[in-house]
Amino acid sequence: MQRQSIAVIHAKTTIHPFTPHLPIDVLHNPAYSIMAADTASAPADTGVIAYAQSSLDRIMPPASRQQAYDSTCSFAQSRPVLFSFLATQLLFALLPLLLFASFAASTVAFALGAALVFSLFWIGVAFMVLVPSLLLTASVAVLAWAWAVGGFVVARWLYERLSGAGAGAGADGEAAKKPTPVLKIEDRN
């Protein structure tokens, strides 16, 4: 029964020259538009199809897509020779354009990757110079610190020996040790 009704629709309508499988009435019938969706009979969109549809809806809303589709169909009907020329040009130029776009994108990606590898290489070389120089400077810093501390200890020892010799020496030859007050506190009572 359904085949007969479809055959009747095809028999009563005019066939579009660029879409012979669809009658003109179907092309302009809102029930067959790309926005019309019978949710009761349509299978549930899941996974990749739903993600692609939502991504496409974010880029170009369904109303804008329907308007572009309708204007393209009306242009194809009003100027079929020009539309066929433009469609043929687009069809043949699409592959070189896509190849060029992929070449440009891959060239930029390769350049960024090469720059990253180049930078990491020279950072590694600089790191190989940095580590030994840090070890050398740390060693020199430890030696300078040891020299300064050693010099301070020797100078303090000499000061204690020489300052105690003039004040008088005890029986064992050491200077009398008197604590030298650093801060004098006065009683104010």
Side-chain angles (χ1 to χ4, degrees), residues 57-179:
D57 288 345
R58 275 186 299 227
I59 294 170
M60 187 174 191
S64 299
R65 286 197 315 262
Q66 184 63 43
Q67 183 181 4
Y69 179 76
D70 290 341
S71 64
T72 302
C73 286
S74 66
F75 179 71
Q77 287 177 357
S78 64
R79 299 179 155 219
V81 174
L82 181 59
F83 177 77
S84 65
F85 174 75
L86 293 176
T88 306
Q89 291 296 318
L90 180 66
L91 180 69
F92 283 94
L94 190 61
L95 182 63
L97 287 173
L98 290 176
L99 288 174
F100 176 77
S102 64
F103 168 75
S106 63
T107 301
V108 168
F110 177 75
L112 292 175
L116 180 67
V117 169
F118 181 79
S119 298
L120 289 176
F121 172 76
W122 285 110
I123 289 170
V125 169
F127 189 71
M128 298 297 262
V129 171
L130 175 68
V131 169
S133 67
L134 285 178
L135 289 174
L136 179 68
T137 57
S139 301
V140 170
V142 166
L143 287 174
W145 175 80
W147 176 79
V149 169
F152 174 76
V153 169
V154 168
R156 186 176 65 180
W157 181 77
L158 285 175
Y159 176 74
E160 287 175 358
R161 297 292 172 210
L162 294 176
S163 67
D172 58 352
E174 286 196 25
K177 294 186 180 179
K178 291 184 189 177

Side-chain angles (χ1 to χ4, degrees), residues 36-44:
D38 185 11
T39 56
S41 64

